[in-house]
Structure formats: structure tokens, C-alpha cells
Amino acid sequence: MTGQEIRDMDLKYNLHSWSKQKGLKPLVITKAEGIYLWDSDGKRYMDMSSELVNANVGHGNKEIVEAIKEQADKYCFLSPGFAVEPRAILAKMVIERMPDNMGKVFFTNGGADANENAIKMARLYTGRYKIMSRYRSYHGSSFGAGNISGEPRRYALEPGIPGFIKFFDPYVYREAISFDSEEAATKFYLAKLREQVVYENPSSIAAIVMETITGSNGVIIPPKGYLEGVRKICDEFGIMMICDEVMAGWCRTGKMFAFEHFNVKPDIVSFAKGITCGYVQLGGVAVSKDIAAFFDDHVLSCGLTYSGHPLACAAGIACLKYYDSAHILENVNAVGAVLGELEEGLKEKHACVGDVRYIGLWSAIELVKDKNTKEPLVPYGKDEQGVMASIVQSLIRKGFYTYSHENMIIVAPPLIITKEQLLEAMDILDGVLGEVDAMI
Ligand code: PLP
């Protein structure tokens, strides 16, 4: 099929996510290798968002492809009630990479159902029903996960689920108060959270769910001591701490899991994306030994036909092995340091860059009309002129593939990117930010 034929058929029969369908013009991608994508005209793009921040090891990884083929030759599917080798091995590998309080894994198809099952388990374990989560968050688009998400993508699901409560996250850049230190910010946000917990009746709260580091909503890194403080509040009131590591986990931040940057051990961890890097879809929930032991004598009321699909588990095993054998964490820390330096440079140079936030190979560039007032380049939830879409289009035309959220450009390349490749990509970004400077 020609590129045009593929696009026409796609648009005739497929519904595309999060979009008005009319006027869509999806790129037709026909080849993907390493950090690169090629369209049907042979034009090359650098995948600077790792697709949806999940293609951590890039495209066409031979080890993972071989592992899937080998598994497919043995058997593709056996239902979750059976004990099968790939599921057993991967669960062991996941738990071995978690803190020592973690006990067992329940596999899912992706991130949303990982969060759905995480909150179900917290409710079953605590016998409580309330779930607290944050406004600036995305936890998936299914009904439960969509309702713990706080950002505008939850609106379509409203009215929300009773007992699902939101609180504000520590977004220091846009806080009305200016803090003297990170510690002062932490103190403020923790006091607010504790007050809200008390007012919500702590004995009804099953869990506090947080992206360890907020991803799509702008790579918001918690200030020093914040997560430790949330852990303390959870301990004080018997609330489960659920860390959503769907985007943050699996080496993205320069550690295997983002919570390792802080001195905390969650009770429950949801994960997906980078466990298989999209070679086959997979997610999961890791629970503490205490929670796992609870389900020795209580029914685990959770189930999915494809829980721990053997092909996905084979991909997961190969992927986790690859993170180790290719020294991915070392690369993330080395090239990530360059990314941080370059972004600080962009912030200094460009009038439109209000803030840059980065950790490992994960970052957001927040665009403003005015650095002093911090007025966002587009009003919250209302980019009616499609300003951000046109900036992203300009990047893509120049071979820098990524996406934006609100007034932020996400830069999160595959974790195998070299310094030279990064420099080439960031040059393109520099040029496009110059265009935005001229626009404001
Ligand atoms: N949680 C976080 C932090 C995410 O970023 C996402 C997706 O981007 C999800 C959950 C949902 O994952 P999925 O799209 O696999 O359902």
C-alpha cells in the first residue's frame, strides 16, 4: 500500500485517541529502528518522546524480538490460572528489582488496569473505600484510572466515583507563594495534605495514589522530603501508599524506579510501559509482603484473561535483561546530564522558556508568554488556536518527533540515545524555540 492509501484507510476505519477526528493527518510510519522512525516517503524522525514514553530501549531490539519469537514457537497463550515459565520468571525478576518490603506481582495489560487493580487491592486490604490522588496527574483512561487522574482528560468520566478525592501536588514553579527553600515548600504541601486527610476521615481512606514523579503533566519532581512526608502521613493513618511508576519506572529517571531517588518504600507499585517497551503490551501491580500475605486467606477479586500473557512476559524478561546487559542506567545518567545542561541553556537563551524540569532522560519544557509573569503560552485546558500543536508540528517537520501537554513540550528520548544524537535533536529544538520567541 502507498502511504496515502494507508492513511486514507486508517482514517476511514480507525478512531484516534484524544482528538476530533476531522482534519487529522497522522504520519504514516513504515519503519522504526533504534531512536529513529521513517515515514512512507522515507523521511527520518528522531523519536524524542520514546513514543508515549514507553519505547525505552528504542525500536527493533533484536534480543527482545528473538525472545518473543522463541516464546511464540513454544506457546503463545495459556490462561493466568496455570503456572507457566515466562510468568514465573518475570514476576521473580520484578520483585528482585523492588525494595525488600515487596512480595508479589499481579500482571495486567497496561498502566490503566494496573492502577485499577492497585486501588482494588488497597480497598480489599484496608477495608476502606476512599482514594486520594492529585490534580496534576494522569493514571490512565479507563473508568477507575480515569477517575483517579486529575487533569482534564478525566472530565469525560464525570460525575466521578464517590470517595475519589483530589489534592494539589507540589508544583513549586506555579505556586502563588514563593518559598525560601525546597524544605519550606515540602512543609507547606505536607501540612495541606495532612489537613485534608484529617478532614476526609482518615479511617475511610484506603490509599494515596501518586505518580512518583508526575509525567505527562510536566515532569514535576517532588521537593526534598515530600515523598518521605507522604509516607509518614500514610503510616500515621494506616493508608496505603501507591506509587504509579508506569512512566517513571524502568530506568527512565536514571534509577530502576523513581522512588529510589527518595527514601521511601511504597506499599503498592503500579508499572507498565518500560517493562516491555511496547514490544508486547504489559503492566502490573507489585504489592508488599503484608498485602500479598493478606491474600493468602482472602480472595483476590481481580482477574484479566490476559494477565501475564506469556508473549508479553517473554518480552519483559528480555527487556529487563537488556537494561542490565546494555548498561542502560549508566547511559541515562551520562546522557541525561547533558540533556539537563542543554535545557538550562535553552531556558537562558529563549524568552518563551519559563521553566525546564528534567531527571534522567525525561524532561518538560514549559512555555510562557512572559518569563516574569509566568503567563502560560496557552491558557490551561484551552489551546483553541492550536498553538502548541503548531509548535509540535514544526518540530516534527524538522525531524524531531514528540508531543506536548498543555503549555509543555515533552523531551524523553529512548534511553539508548547517544550524546551525539541528543545534540543533533536539541539543535532542532533550539531552532523551533527561536520561532516561538518571535511569536510572543
Ligand atoms: N499512569 C501513568 C503515569 C501514565 O503515564 C499512563 C500512560 O501514559 C498510564 C498510567 C496509563 O497507562 P496505559 O496507557 O498503558 O493504560
Side-chain angles (χ1 to χ4, degrees), residues 292-331:
F294 173 84
F295 289 113
D296 285 345
D297 300 312
H298 298 82
V299 174
L300 177 68
S301 276
C302 302
L304 297 161
T305 298
Y306 298 125
S307 177
H309 194 293
L311 284 184
C313 289
I317 294 165
C319 195
L320 298 197
K321 281 186 183 165
Y322 188 78
Y323 285 139
D324 294 341
S325 66
H327 307 288
I328 292 296
L329 281 175
E330 279 97 320
N331 195 58

mmCIF file of all heavy atoms in Angstrom, residues 292-331:
data_model
loop_
_atom_site.group_PDB
_atom_site.id
_atom_site.type_symbol
_atom_site.label_atom_id
_atom_site.label_comp_id
_atom_site.label_asym_id
_atom_site.label_seq_id
_atom_site.Cartn_x
_atom_site.Cartn_y
_atom_site.Cartn_z
ATOM 1 N N ALA A 292 0.485 -9.119 50.129
ATOM 2 C CA ALA A 292 0.498 -10.442 49.489
ATOM 3 C C ALA A 292 0.026 -11.506 50.483
ATOM 4 O O ALA A 292 -0.781 -12.386 50.134
ATOM 5 C CB ALA A 292 1.897 -10.763 48.975
ATOM 6 N N ALA A 293 0.478 -11.397 51.743
ATOM 7 C CA ALA A 293 0.096 -12.389 52.756
ATOM 8 C C ALA A 293 -1.402 -12.301 53.066
ATOM 9 O O ALA A 293 -2.059 -13.319 53.310
ATOM 10 C CB ALA A 293 0.918 -12.175 54.029
ATOM 11 N N PHE A 294 -1.940 -11.087 53.028
ATOM 12 C CA PHE A 294 -3.378 -10.910 53.262
ATOM 13 C C PHE A 294 -4.184 -11.757 52.283
ATOM 14 O O PHE A 294 -5.180 -12.390 52.644
ATOM 15 C CB PHE A 294 -3.736 -9.420 53.119
ATOM 16 C CG PHE A 294 -5.201 -9.125 53.170
ATOM 17 C CD1 PHE A 294 -5.856 -8.983 54.395
ATOM 18 C CD2 PHE A 294 -5.945 -8.975 51.998
ATOM 19 C CE1 PHE A 294 -7.223 -8.703 54.440
ATOM 20 C CE2 PHE A 294 -7.300 -8.696 52.037
ATOM 21 C CZ PHE A 294 -7.944 -8.561 53.263
ATOM 22 N N PHE A 295 -3.711 -11.799 51.039
ATOM 23 C CA PHE A 295 -4.460 -12.543 50.020
ATOM 24 C C PHE A 295 -4.199 -14.060 50.085
ATOM 25 O O PHE A 295 -4.769 -14.812 49.298
ATOM 26 C CB PHE A 295 -4.190 -11.968 48.620
ATOM 27 C CG PHE A 295 -4.835 -10.618 48.425
ATOM 28 C CD1 PHE A 295 -4.064 -9.467 48.284
ATOM 29 C CD2 PHE A 295 -6.219 -10.501 48.426
ATOM 30 C CE1 PHE A 295 -4.670 -8.219 48.124
ATOM 31 C CE2 PHE A 295 -6.832 -9.255 48.280
ATOM 32 C CZ PHE A 295 -6.049 -8.112 48.129
ATOM 33 N N ASP A 296 -3.383 -14.485 51.047
ATOM 34 C CA ASP A 296 -3.299 -15.937 51.306
ATOM 35 C C ASP A 296 -4.649 -16.447 51.798
ATOM 36 O O ASP A 296 -5.062 -17.556 51.471
ATOM 37 C CB ASP A 296 -2.234 -16.229 52.384
ATOM 38 C CG ASP A 296 -0.824 -16.108 51.833
ATOM 39 O OD1 ASP A 296 -0.670 -16.093 50.593
ATOM 40 O OD2 ASP A 296 0.121 -16.007 52.652
ATOM 41 N N ASP A 297 -5.313 -15.604 52.597
ATOM 42 C CA ASP A 297 -6.553 -16.058 53.232
ATOM 43 C C ASP A 297 -7.787 -15.285 52.782
ATOM 44 O O ASP A 297 -8.866 -15.485 53.302
ATOM 45 C CB ASP A 297 -6.432 -15.921 54.766
ATOM 46 C CG ASP A 297 -5.276 -16.752 55.286
ATOM 47 O OD1 ASP A 297 -5.192 -17.924 54.883
ATOM 48 O OD2 ASP A 297 -4.443 -16.222 56.049
ATOM 49 N N HIS A 298 -7.579 -14.341 51.886
ATOM 50 C CA HIS A 298 -8.714 -13.570 51.360
ATOM 51 C C HIS A 298 -8.680 -13.661 49.842
ATOM 52 O O HIS A 298 -7.596 -13.666 49.246
ATOM 53 C CB HIS A 298 -8.620 -12.094 51.782
ATOM 54 C CG HIS A 298 -8.677 -11.897 53.264
ATOM 55 N ND1 HIS A 298 -7.578 -12.045 54.075
ATOM 56 C CD2 HIS A 298 -9.712 -11.580 54.083
ATOM 57 C CE1 HIS A 298 -7.921 -11.832 55.332
ATOM 58 N NE2 HIS A 298 -9.225 -11.550 55.365
ATOM 59 N N VAL A 299 -9.873 -13.725 49.264
ATOM 60 C CA VAL A 299 -9.926 -13.881 47.802
ATOM 61 C C VAL A 299 -9.391 -12.624 47.123
ATOM 62 O O VAL A 299 -9.779 -11.512 47.484
ATOM 63 C CB VAL A 299 -11.383 -14.140 47.347
ATOM 64 C CG1 VAL A 299 -11.484 -14.162 45.816
ATOM 65 C CG2 VAL A 299 -11.892 -15.447 47.938
ATOM 66 N N LEU A 300 -8.503 -12.810 46.183
ATOM 67 C CA LEU A 300 -8.035 -11.688 45.364
ATOM 68 C C LEU A 300 -9.065 -11.512 44.243
ATOM 69 O O LEU A 300 -9.060 -12.247 43.259
ATOM 70 C CB LEU A 300 -6.652 -11.976 44.772
ATOM 71 C CG LEU A 300 -6.111 -10.894 43.831
ATOM 72 C CD1 LEU A 300 -5.789 -9.611 44.593
ATOM 73 C CD2 LEU A 300 -4.877 -11.368 43.086
ATOM 74 N N SER A 301 -9.952 -10.549 44.451
ATOM 75 C CA SER A 301 -11.046 -10.344 43.490
ATOM 76 C C SER A 301 -10.571 -9.541 42.289
ATOM 77 O O SER A 301 -11.069 -8.445 42.032
ATOM 78 C CB SER A 301 -12.184 -9.573 44.162
ATOM 79 O OG SER A 301 -12.991 -10.438 44.852
ATOM 80 N N CYS A 302 -9.607 -10.038 41.602
ATOM 81 C CA CYS A 302 -9.068 -9.357 40.433
ATOM 82 C C CYS A 302 -8.835 -10.427 39.368
ATOM 83 O O CYS A 302 -8.401 -11.533 39.712
ATOM 84 C CB CYS A 302 -7.717 -8.701 40.731
ATOM 85 S SG CYS A 302 -7.734 -7.492 42.062
ATOM 86 N N GLY A 303 -9.067 -10.087 38.133
ATOM 87 C CA GLY A 303 -8.801 -11.087 37.088
ATOM 88 C C GLY A 303 -8.871 -10.494 35.705
ATOM 89 O O GLY A 303 -9.696 -9.634 35.427
ATOM 90 N N LEU A 304 -7.967 -10.949 34.853
ATOM 91 C CA LEU A 304 -7.933 -10.492 33.463
ATOM 92 C C LEU A 304 -7.569 -11.701 32.606
ATOM 93 O O LEU A 304 -6.654 -12.453 32.969
ATOM 94 C CB LEU A 304 -6.840 -9.425 33.277
ATOM 95 C CG LEU A 304 -7.001 -8.114 34.048
ATOM 96 C CD1 LEU A 304 -5.657 -7.393 34.138
ATOM 97 C CD2 LEU A 304 -8.026 -7.221 33.374
ATOM 98 N N THR A 305 -8.246 -11.879 31.505
ATOM 99 C CA THR A 305 -7.927 -13.006 30.620
ATOM 100 C C THR A 305 -6.431 -13.017 30.294
ATOM 101 O O THR A 305 -5.783 -14.055 30.278
ATOM 102 C CB THR A 305 -8.742 -12.893 29.308
ATOM 103 O OG1 THR A 305 -10.114 -12.958 29.660
ATOM 104 C CG2 THR A 305 -8.400 -14.011 28.331
ATOM 105 N N TYR A 306 -5.900 -11.822 30.050
ATOM 106 C CA TYR A 306 -4.516 -11.748 29.568
ATOM 107 C C TYR A 306 -3.506 -11.381 30.648
ATOM 108 O O TYR A 306 -2.417 -10.881 30.342
ATOM 109 C CB TYR A 306 -4.436 -10.772 28.386
ATOM 110 C CG TYR A 306 -5.279 -11.231 27.219
ATOM 111 C CD1 TYR A 306 -6.257 -10.409 26.665
ATOM 112 C CD2 TYR A 306 -5.121 -12.514 26.698
ATOM 113 C CE1 TYR A 306 -7.046 -10.855 25.614
ATOM 114 C CE2 TYR A 306 -5.908 -12.963 25.655
ATOM 115 C CZ TYR A 306 -6.863 -12.127 25.114
ATOM 116 O OH TYR A 306 -7.639 -12.579 24.081
ATOM 117 N N SER A 307 -3.868 -11.623 31.909
ATOM 118 C CA SER A 307 -2.934 -11.327 32.997
ATOM 119 C C SER A 307 -1.661 -12.168 32.829
ATOM 120 O O SER A 307 -1.704 -13.402 32.877
ATOM 121 C CB SER A 307 -3.621 -11.660 34.325
ATOM 122 O OG SER A 307 -2.738 -11.467 35.387
ATOM 123 N N GLY A 308 -0.556 -11.501 32.606
ATOM 124 C CA GLY A 308 0.712 -12.231 32.469
ATOM 125 C C GLY A 308 0.776 -13.032 31.185
ATOM 126 O O GLY A 308 1.227 -14.194 31.173
ATOM 127 N N HIS A 309 0.333 -12.439 30.088
ATOM 128 C CA HIS A 309 0.374 -13.117 28.784
ATOM 129 C C HIS A 309 1.806 -13.615 28.521
ATOM 130 O O HIS A 309 2.761 -12.841 28.618
ATOM 131 C CB HIS A 309 -0.045 -12.127 27.697
ATOM 132 C CG HIS A 309 -0.353 -12.777 26.393
ATOM 133 N ND1 HIS A 309 0.602 -13.394 25.633
ATOM 134 C CD2 HIS A 309 -1.522 -12.918 25.726
ATOM 135 C CE1 HIS A 309 0.036 -13.893 24.547
ATOM 136 N NE2 HIS A 309 -1.259 -13.616 24.587
ATOM 137 N N PRO A 310 1.961 -14.901 28.190
ATOM 138 C CA PRO A 310 3.313 -15.450 28.020
ATOM 139 C C PRO A 310 4.192 -14.682 27.024
ATOM 140 O O PRO A 310 5.387 -14.500 27.274
ATOM 141 C CB PRO A 310 3.066 -16.886 27.551
ATOM 142 C CG PRO A 310 1.737 -17.229 28.131
ATOM 143 C CD PRO A 310 0.930 -15.957 28.102
ATOM 144 N N LEU A 311 3.611 -14.225 25.918
ATOM 145 C CA LEU A 311 4.442 -13.475 24.960
ATOM 146 C C LEU A 311 4.934 -12.174 25.575
ATOM 147 O O LEU A 311 6.087 -11.764 25.379
ATOM 148 C CB LEU A 311 3.646 -13.133 23.690
ATOM 149 C CG LEU A 311 3.399 -14.245 22.685
ATOM 150 C CD1 LEU A 311 2.681 -13.678 21.454
ATOM 151 C CD2 LEU A 311 4.706 -14.907 22.268
ATOM 152 N N ALA A 312 4.038 -11.507 26.323
ATOM 153 C CA ALA A 312 4.415 -10.248 26.974
ATOM 154 C C ALA A 312 5.476 -10.509 28.036
ATOM 155 O O ALA A 312 6.443 -9.742 28.175
ATOM 156 C CB ALA A 312 3.188 -9.589 27.597
ATOM 157 N N CYS A 313 5.316 -11.598 28.776
ATOM 158 C CA CYS A 313 6.303 -11.900 29.823
ATOM 159 C C CYS A 313 7.665 -12.228 29.206
ATOM 160 O O CYS A 313 8.702 -11.819 29.737
ATOM 161 C CB CYS A 313 5.810 -13.040 30.710
ATOM 162 S SG CYS A 313 4.437 -12.532 31.759
ATOM 163 N N ALA A 314 7.649 -12.938 28.081
ATOM 164 C CA ALA A 314 8.926 -13.233 27.405
ATOM 165 C C ALA A 314 9.593 -11.924 26.986
ATOM 166 O O ALA A 314 10.815 -11.742 27.139
ATOM 167 C CB ALA A 314 8.679 -14.126 26.190
ATOM 168 N N ALA A 315 8.785 -10.985 26.463
ATOM 169 C CA ALA A 315 9.336 -9.682 26.077
ATOM 170 C C ALA A 315 9.875 -8.959 27.315
ATOM 171 O O ALA A 315 10.950 -8.349 27.277
ATOM 172 C CB ALA A 315 8.261 -8.835 25.398
ATOM 173 N N GLY A 316 9.146 -9.052 28.408
ATOM 174 C CA GLY A 316 9.553 -8.387 29.657
ATOM 175 C C GLY A 316 10.875 -8.926 30.182
ATOM 176 O O GLY A 316 11.764 -8.165 30.588
ATOM 177 N N ILE A 317 11.021 -10.240 30.160
ATOM 178 C CA ILE A 317 12.267 -10.856 30.645
ATOM 179 C C ILE A 317 13.449 -10.346 29.800
ATOM 180 O O ILE A 317 14.479 -9.908 30.331
ATOM 181 C CB ILE A 317 12.188 -12.407 30.569
ATOM 182 C CG1 ILE A 317 11.133 -12.925 31.549
ATOM 183 C CG2 ILE A 317 13.547 -13.044 30.841
ATOM 184 C CD1 ILE A 317 10.719 -14.384 31.293
ATOM 185 N N ALA A 318 13.254 -10.368 28.474
ATOM 186 C CA ALA A 318 14.342 -9.932 27.577
ATOM 187 C C ALA A 318 14.651 -8.447 27.793
ATOM 188 O O ALA A 318 15.812 -8.026 27.756
ATOM 189 C CB ALA A 318 13.949 -10.200 26.128
ATOM 190 N N CYS A 319 13.613 -7.691 28.034
ATOM 191 C CA CYS A 319 13.779 -6.247 28.202
ATOM 192 C C CYS A 319 14.557 -5.943 29.494
ATOM 193 O O CYS A 319 15.515 -5.157 29.486
ATOM 194 C CB CYS A 319 12.373 -5.655 28.243
ATOM 195 S SG CYS A 319 12.357 -3.922 28.025
ATOM 196 N N LEU A 320 14.162 -6.581 30.583
ATOM 197 C CA LEU A 320 14.870 -6.330 31.852
ATOM 198 C C LEU A 320 16.326 -6.801 31.756
ATOM 199 O O LEU A 320 17.230 -6.161 32.286
ATOM 200 C CB LEU A 320 14.162 -7.015 33.025
ATOM 201 C CG LEU A 320 12.716 -6.567 33.327
ATOM 202 C CD1 LEU A 320 12.295 -7.013 34.727
ATOM 203 C CD2 LEU A 320 12.507 -5.072 33.180
ATOM 204 N N LYS A 321 16.531 -7.915 31.050
ATOM 205 C CA LYS A 321 17.920 -8.380 30.864
ATOM 206 C C LYS A 321 18.705 -7.354 30.058
ATOM 207 O O LYS A 321 19.874 -7.087 30.318
ATOM 208 C CB LYS A 321 17.939 -9.729 30.118
ATOM 209 C CG LYS A 321 17.609 -10.917 31.001
ATOM 210 C CD LYS A 321 17.794 -12.202 30.208
ATOM 211 C CE LYS A 321 17.412 -13.411 31.033
ATOM 212 N NZ LYS A 321 17.244 -14.608 30.192
ATOM 213 N N TYR A 322 18.048 -6.774 29.052
ATOM 214 C CA TYR A 322 18.734 -5.797 28.186
ATOM 215 C C TYR A 322 19.122 -4.542 28.979
ATOM 216 O O TYR A 322 20.210 -3.987 28.780
ATOM 217 C CB TYR A 322 17.856 -5.434 26.986
ATOM 218 C CG TYR A 322 18.588 -4.585 25.978
ATOM 219 C CD1 TYR A 322 19.492 -5.154 25.084
ATOM 220 C CD2 TYR A 322 18.417 -3.201 25.949
ATOM 221 C CE1 TYR A 322 20.200 -4.365 24.178
ATOM 222 C CE2 TYR A 322 19.113 -2.408 25.045
ATOM 223 C CZ TYR A 322 20.004 -2.999 24.172
ATOM 224 O OH TYR A 322 20.708 -2.235 23.280
ATOM 225 N N TYR A 323 18.228 -4.085 29.868
ATOM 226 C CA TYR A 323 18.579 -2.913 30.690
ATOM 227 C C TYR A 323 19.924 -3.150 31.384
ATOM 228 O O TYR A 323 20.759 -2.253 31.471
ATOM 229 C CB TYR A 323 17.517 -2.653 31.768
ATOM 230 C CG TYR A 323 16.229 -2.028 31.266
ATOM 231 C CD1 TYR A 323 14.998 -2.459 31.748
ATOM 232 C CD2 TYR A 323 16.234 -0.999 30.340
ATOM 233 C CE1 TYR A 323 13.815 -1.887 31.309
ATOM 234 C CE2 TYR A 323 15.057 -0.423 29.888
ATOM 235 C CZ TYR A 323 13.848 -0.867 30.386
ATOM 236 O OH TYR A 323 12.687 -0.302 29.947
ATOM 237 N N ASP A 324 20.107 -4.384 31.890
ATOM 238 C CA ASP A 324 21.352 -4.696 32.606
ATOM 239 C C ASP A 324 22.524 -4.853 31.631
ATOM 240 O O ASP A 324 23.562 -4.217 31.795
ATOM 241 C CB ASP A 324 21.205 -5.996 33.417
ATOM 242 C CG ASP A 324 20.196 -5.831 34.552
ATOM 243 O OD1 ASP A 324 19.911 -4.671 34.924
ATOM 244 O OD2 ASP A 324 19.678 -6.853 35.056
ATOM 245 N N SER A 325 22.331 -5.700 30.595
ATOM 246 C CA SER A 325 23.479 -6.035 29.741
ATOM 247 C C SER A 325 23.960 -4.828 28.929
ATOM 248 O O SER A 325 25.140 -4.700 28.631
ATOM 249 C CB SER A 325 23.136 -7.200 28.806
ATOM 250 O OG SER A 325 22.137 -6.790 27.903
ATOM 251 N N ALA A 326 23.038 -3.922 28.587
ATOM 252 C CA ALA A 326 23.441 -2.749 27.784
ATOM 253 C C ALA A 326 23.786 -1.550 28.677
ATOM 254 O O ALA A 326 23.988 -0.454 28.166
ATOM 255 C CB ALA A 326 22.335 -2.392 26.796
ATOM 256 N N HIS A 327 23.827 -1.773 29.971
ATOM 257 C CA HIS A 327 24.172 -0.707 30.936
ATOM 258 C C HIS A 327 23.338 0.553 30.704
ATOM 259 O O HIS A 327 23.859 1.669 30.598
ATOM 260 C CB HIS A 327 25.679 -0.379 30.860
ATOM 261 C CG HIS A 327 26.541 -1.593 31.012
ATOM 262 N ND1 HIS A 327 26.688 -2.249 32.214
ATOM 263 C CD2 HIS A 327 27.266 -2.288 30.102
ATOM 264 C CE1 HIS A 327 27.473 -3.299 32.050
ATOM 265 N NE2 HIS A 327 27.835 -3.354 30.777
ATOM 266 N N ILE A 328 22.052 0.343 30.604
ATOM 267 C CA ILE A 328 21.151 1.449 30.266
ATOM 268 C C ILE A 328 21.167 2.539 31.343
ATOM 269 O O ILE A 328 21.161 3.734 31.024
ATOM 270 C CB ILE A 328 19.713 0.911 30.033
ATOM 271 C CG1 ILE A 328 19.668 0.047 28.769
ATOM 272 C CG2 ILE A 328 18.693 2.045 29.962
ATOM 273 C CD1 ILE A 328 19.967 0.761 27.467
ATOM 274 N N LEU A 329 21.215 2.135 32.599
ATOM 275 C CA LEU A 329 21.206 3.175 33.653
ATOM 276 C C LEU A 329 22.412 4.101 33.523
ATOM 277 O O LEU A 329 22.281 5.318 33.688
ATOM 278 C CB LEU A 329 21.177 2.528 35.045
ATOM 279 C CG LEU A 329 19.805 2.033 35.508
ATOM 280 C CD1 LEU A 329 19.907 1.294 36.837
ATOM 281 C CD2 LEU A 329 18.794 3.167 35.617
ATOM 282 N N GLU A 330 23.571 3.532 33.189
ATOM 283 C CA GLU A 330 24.765 4.377 33.018
ATOM 284 C C GLU A 330 24.537 5.394 31.899
ATOM 285 O O GLU A 330 24.867 6.567 32.023
ATOM 286 C CB GLU A 330 26.013 3.529 32.671
ATOM 287 C CG GLU A 330 26.666 2.877 33.875
ATOM 288 C CD GLU A 330 26.229 1.439 34.059
ATOM 289 O OE1 GLU A 330 25.023 1.142 33.866
ATOM 290 O OE2 GLU A 330 27.078 0.602 34.407
ATOM 291 N N ASN A 331 23.952 4.907 30.800
ATOM 292 C CA ASN A 331 23.717 5.825 29.673
ATOM 293 C C ASN A 331 22.726 6.919 30.051
ATOM 294 O O ASN A 331 22.920 8.089 29.713
ATOM 295 C CB ASN A 331 23.205 5.046 28.448
ATOM 296 C CG ASN A 331 23.294 5.877 27.186
ATOM 297 O OD1 ASN A 331 24.379 6.335 26.815
ATOM 298 N ND2 ASN A 331 22.164 6.142 26.555
#
